[in-house]
């Protein structure tokens, strides 16, 4: 049970991002804070009012989580990345991806330009950012172009050299006019190099120059110029703010760092996808006092990547470990492409590792007991099931359920748990195609056949294309299948697997007369299970989740079938015309009272359709 008062007391007085979860553990809100302690506490103060929407959100919070950052800027960018990744219910969602601007240097051109960009494209350009102020980015680009006299035109150079007259920028001394051949490619390249040096972080020369110009303008009482230089200086300072939450290389990386004491360690993993931190996870590790950081990390890397479905291109660690070449070879074979393990020593990558270590230390000091309980509920519960069934390396479990009412709209559900936690992105729904009537066995046979045939076909396609077996809901098969029933359901599943030539352990969740799980049916034996153990609780959660997901899908189909209008029964009236009629006349009664001419004047209607509506609504009642 999440203890709000205790967790609120633990909040750090540092910048970061907070993540609100509901009772089903779904993320419902993500926010940033200059001080996590002050901001998150505000939500739970009776006197605090942020409007109806936030009030409704607070009522649904079952727990919260947070990630500490080094600055408010980093919190802002991380908040944006996480909102895009998780699309929480109570966040205001942007309609497009134009969130933060970048500076683009077209180094692929012979005479490069410095441009404003909202996107990173896979071209030969170099990108810098993201930045939080579009105005500051535009001011900085203008400043760079003025100081280094770089071109801003779209002319194709050197093809168009001399084709047209020099533009105004040349005449006001803001462009070196490479379009006229007034500057060589080498000299122009030196200017671009200085601009790149500035964008890489060497801001001191320009800031010094702007300060000197500002002082000179003030001394001769040219205050408008002094203000202009001051504003440009402010823009450069905004650009100079370093943030490491988003990188422009667009690569997939895992950042791994840890904190430990004599008996416990917390390993923090930041997941960077397409250059952005999209999430994190932490793991509690029981350690001996003699184990070094390197020992703990190497064991963690082996265990984590033996079970995790996705392996990134690069793994960054806080400290060197043994057997890096062997581990890289193993990970490369699993991924199908080169994997590199790095221990960054400087720059943004080192800062990212430091940030992960900072979060790990915070978790270790504040959340040790909570993590132990969570590990018991998830990994510990999986270990109990492994021992009970005498299985090894149990990571992914899939459960299936069938839902119908007297055979109406029979549907199947597939839910997935990995490492004891639901993986909702891999959940799938099945609308039955070949079964009519309430036949659960036949329905389950169809669902399982479709699921595994689809997976086998996708695997074959990937092999033919010589592509890595990227993990999806179908391409990756489970380590254990859980059936919501006993012998009958298990035998149906085993039959499907035999027909397809697959070998996957299948376990039935056997219920008592009160519809409560009393044991597991495995290898033709009913195995009793400790009802007070974490393994039993996990089995119950999986069973309930499969049932909930199937019923939810069935309910949505029933609702759609019940949304039916009298107008749907009229020949020539489809969704567009029905919508147009309701929009104009507001009610069926008003449509009935309209003349044929009035009906025909409705958008998308014609005289024939209008006559059909009129005749249908005025036909004599039997």
């Amino acid at each position: 049970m999440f203890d709000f008062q205790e967790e609120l007391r633990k909040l750090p007085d540092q910048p970061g991002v907070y993540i609100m979860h509901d009772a089903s553990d779904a993320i419902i809100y993500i926010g940033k804070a200059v001080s996590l302690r002050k901001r998150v506490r505000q939500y739970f103060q009776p006197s605090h009012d942020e409007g109806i929407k936030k009030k409704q959100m607070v009522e649904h919070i079952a727990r919260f989580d947070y990630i500490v950052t080094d600055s408010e800027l980093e919190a802002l960018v991380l908040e944006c990345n996480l909102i895009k990744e998780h699309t929480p219910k109570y966040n205001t969602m942007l309609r497009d991806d134009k969130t933060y601007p970048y500076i683009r240097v077209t180094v692929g051109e012979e005479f490069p330009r410095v441009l404003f960009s909202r996107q990173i494209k896979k071209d030969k350009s170099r990108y810098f950012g993201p930045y939080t102020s579009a105005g500051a980015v535009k001011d900085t680009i203008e400043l760079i172009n003025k100081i280094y006299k770089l071109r801003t035109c779209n002319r194709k150079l050197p093809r168009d050299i001399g084709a047209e007259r020099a533009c105004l920028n040349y005449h006001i001394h803001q462009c070196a006019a490479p379009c006229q051949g007034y500057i060589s490619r080498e000299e122009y390249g030196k200017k671009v190099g200085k601009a790149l040096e500035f964008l890489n972080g060497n801001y001191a020369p320009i800031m010094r120059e702007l300060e000197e110009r500002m002082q000179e303008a003030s001394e001769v009482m040219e205050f408008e110029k002094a203000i202009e230089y001051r504003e440009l200086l402010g823009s450069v300072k905004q650009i100079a703010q370093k943030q490491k939450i988003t990188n422009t290389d667009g690569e997939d990386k895992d950042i791994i760092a840890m904190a430990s004491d004599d008996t416990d360690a917390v390993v923090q993993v930041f997941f960077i996808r397409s250059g952005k931190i999209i999430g994190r996870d932490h793991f509690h590790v029981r350690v001996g006092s003699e184990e070094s950081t390197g020992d703990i990390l190497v064991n963690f890397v082996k265990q984590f990547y033996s079970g995790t479905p996705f392996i990134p291109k690069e793994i960054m660690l806080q400290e060197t470990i043994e057997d890096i070449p062997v581990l890289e070879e193993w990970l490369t074979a699993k991924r199908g492409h080169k994997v590199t393990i790095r221990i960054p020593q400087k720059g943004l990558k080192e800062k990212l590792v430091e940030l992960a270590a900072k979060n790990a230390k915070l978790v270790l000091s504040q959340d040790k007991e909570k993590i132990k309980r969570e590990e018991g509920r998830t990994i510990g519960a999986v270990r109990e099931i492994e021992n009970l069934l005498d299985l090894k390396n149990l990571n992914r479990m899939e459960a299936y359920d069938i839902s119908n009412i007297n055979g109406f709209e029979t549907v199947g559900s597939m839910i997935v748990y990995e490492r004891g936690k639901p993986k909702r992105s891999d959940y799938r729904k099945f609308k039955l195609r070949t079964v009519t009537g309430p036949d659960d066995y036949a329905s389950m046979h169809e669902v399982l056949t479709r699921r595994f045939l689809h997976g086998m076909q996708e695997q074959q396609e990937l092999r033919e294309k010589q592509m890595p077996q990227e993990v999806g809901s179908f391409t990756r098969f489970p380590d254990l299948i859980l059936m919501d029933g006993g012998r009958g359901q298990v035998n149906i599943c085993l039959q499907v697997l035999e027909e397809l030539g697959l070998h996957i352990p299948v376990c039935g969740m056997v219920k008592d007369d009160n519809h409560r799980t009393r044991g597991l049916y495995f290898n033709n034996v009913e195995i009793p299970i400790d009802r007070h153990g974490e393994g039993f609780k996990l089995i119950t959660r999986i069973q309930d989740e499969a049932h909930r997901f199937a019923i939810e899908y069935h309910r949505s189909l029933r609702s759609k079938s019940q949304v039916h209008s009298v107008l749907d029964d009229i020949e020539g009236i489809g969704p567009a015309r029905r919508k147009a009629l309701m929009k104009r006349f507001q009610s069926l009664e008003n449509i009935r009272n309209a003349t044929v001419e009035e009906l025909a004047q409705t958008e998308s209607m014609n005289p024939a359709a209008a006559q059909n509506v009129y005749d249908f609504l005025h036909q004599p009642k039997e």
Side-chain angles (χ1 to χ4, degrees), residues 82-151:
L82 293 178
I83 288 173
K84 286 180 187 174
E85 180 68 19
H86 299 287
T87 60
K89 178 179 179 181
Y90 290 98
N91 280 98
T92 301
M93 301 304 299
L94 297 172
R95 291 188 179 183
D96 56 32
D97 198 34
K98 294 182 180 178
T99 309
Y100 294 114
Y102 295 84
I103 293 176
R104 176 189 174 205
V105 184
T106 60
V107 292
E109 297 178 335
E110 292 197 34
F111 292 90
R113 295 166 293 161
V114 180
L115 306 172
F116 180 96
S117 178
R118 287 282 187 182
Q119 295 176 322
I120 296 179
K121 297 179 181 178
K122 290 188 176 180
D123 53 20
K124 295 181 181 179
S125 299
R126 286 188 62 183
Y127 291 85
F128 299 86
Y131 304 105
T132 55
S133 170
V137 169
K138 290 174 182 176
D139 286 346
T140 303
I141 291 173
E142 184 179 355
L143 175 68
I144 289 172
N145 287 331
K146 281 182 180 178
I147 291 176
Y148 300 116
K149 295 181 172 54
L150 303 181
R151 72 186 185 102

Side-chain angles (χ1 to χ4, degrees), residues 455-474:
M456 293 168 71
Q457 289 166 358
E458 286 187 354
Q459 290 175 356
Q460 179 61 31
E461 289 171 4
L462 291 171
R463 281 194 294 269
E464 290 173 357
K465 295 176 182 177
Q466 294 186 333
M467 293 173 63
Q469 297 289 312
E470 295 294 344
V471 176
S473 57
F474 288 129

Side-chain angles (χ1 to χ4, degrees), residues 4 14 29 123 164 222 239 356 391 476 507 510 530 570 604:
F4 277 91
Q14 297 178 46
Y29 187 76
D123 53 20
E164 297 179 44
E222 293 182 351
I239 290 294
L391 296 173
R476 186 158 182 260
C507 179
V510 185
D530 179 9
I570 303 174
S604 78

Side-chain angles (χ1 to χ4, degrees), residues 400-404 409 411-415 429 544-556 558:
Y400 297 83
D401 194 21
I402 301 295
S403 178
N404 66 66
E409 292 281 24
V411 301
S413 70
M414 162 186 154
I415 67 156
K429 305 166 183 174
D544 292 343
E545 180 71 351
H547 194 51
R548 177 201 65 78
F549 192 58
I551 288 176
E552 185 181 87
Y553 181 39
H554 191 261
R555 187 182 294 124
S556 71
R558 293 204 314 271

Side-chain angles (χ1 to χ4, degrees), residues 386-503:
E386 280 184 343
N387 294 333
L388 194 66
L389 303 179
D390 194 23
L391 296 173
K392 292 182 180 179
N393 299 322
L394 183 54
N395 176 50
R396 181 183 175 101
M397 295 184 285
E398 293 181 2
Y400 297 83
D401 194 21
I402 301 295
S403 178
N404 66 66
I405 296 178
N406 296 327
F408 171 79
E409 292 281 24
T410 302
V411 301
S413 70
M414 162 186 154
I415 67 156
V416 179
Y417 270 60
E418 287 191 355
R419 298 175 65 83
K421 296 179 182 179
K423 188 178 183 185
R424 293 184 175 84
S425 61
D426 280 8
Y427 285 16
R428 287 297 179 268
K429 305 166 183 174
F430 300 84
K431 189 174 181 181
L432 274 293
R433 300 170 181 167
T434 62
V435 181
T436 56
D439 188 337
D440 283 358
Y441 286 172
S443 299
M444 187 60 75
H445 188 281
E446 180 186 328
V447 166
L448 292 167
T449 302
R450 284 167 55 187
R451 182 265 179 271
F452 288 107
L453 267 179
H454 191 157
M456 293 168 71
Q457 289 166 358
E458 286 187 354
Q459 290 175 356
Q460 179 61 31
E461 289 171 4
L462 291 171
R463 281 194 294 269
E464 290 173 357
K465 295 176 182 177
Q466 294 186 333
M467 293 173 63
Q469 297 289 312
E470 295 294 344
V471 176
S473 57
F474 288 129
T475 52
R476 186 158 182 260
F477 288 171
D479 304 310
L480 177 66
I481 299 171
L482 292 165
M483 304 302 298
D484 187 31
R487 184 194 301 260
Q489 292 279 17
V490 169
N491 287 339
I492 289 293
C493 185
L494 290 172
Q495 179 186 336
V496 171
L497 295 175
E498 185 179 357
E499 290 169 357
L500 299 176
L502 298 173
H503 302 282

Side-chain angles (χ1 to χ4, degrees), residues 184-227:
S184 69
R185 181 179 173 184
E186 290 73 23
E187 285 299 314
Y188 190 90
K190 290 178 183 178
K191 291 179 178 289
V192 173
K194 289 181 179 179
L196 289 171
E197 189 179 346
F198 165 78
L199 291 170
N200 276 317
N202 187 10
Y203 306 108
I206 284 184
M207 292 175 73
R208 218 172 18 247
E209 183 177 344
L210 286 172
E211 285 177 353
E212 289 172 359
R213 291 186 183 183
M214 183 176 67
Q215 292 297 332
E216 289 171 3
S218 297
E219 288 171 3
V220 297
M221 291 188 290
E222 293 182 351
F223 298 117
E224 288 186 4
K225 277 192 175 182
I227 290 171

